[in-house]
Amino acid sequence: MTQAPNFKQELYPGARVLIRAFEDIPEHIFEVSEVYDDCIGGYSLTGPLTGEYGEPDFEMILRIID
């Protein structure tokens, strides 16, 4: 298993990231509001979870959009 990139140092409130698909939820854009030790907090901007708050683990981040 490959290790996920370490995005923590590059994340900040307002950053947008692409979250990988999980269960029946497709990849989606997520806006960071907080950066925690083991995850990020924020809101989904696209997909079926639009407007929902979540705290995905860093391993779920595919890339930083901006």
Side-chain angles (χ1 to χ4, degrees):
M1 183 171 171
T2 42
Q3 186 173 353
N6 182 2
F7 291 115
K8 184 176 179 179
Q9 296 175 352
E10 301 175 47
L11 295 170
Y12 55 91
R16 293 187 302 160
V17 298
L18 184 63
I19 300 294
R20 70 173 169 82
F22 61 96
E23 296 174 12
D24 60 345
I25 306 299
E27 289 181 2
H28 57 282
I29 298 173
F30 187 89
E31 185 171 347
V32 177
S33 60
E34 295 286 335
V35 179
Y36 301 110
D37 290 335
D38 59 347
C39 66
I40 55 175
Y43 293 87
S44 293
L45 299 178
T46 62
L49 298 177
T50 299
E52 295 290 325
Y53 179 82
E55 293 183 352
D57 294 335
F58 293 121
E59 292 80 24
M60 296 195 66
I61 300 171
L62 293 175
R63 65 184 171 91
I64 297 173
I65 297 171
D66 62 13

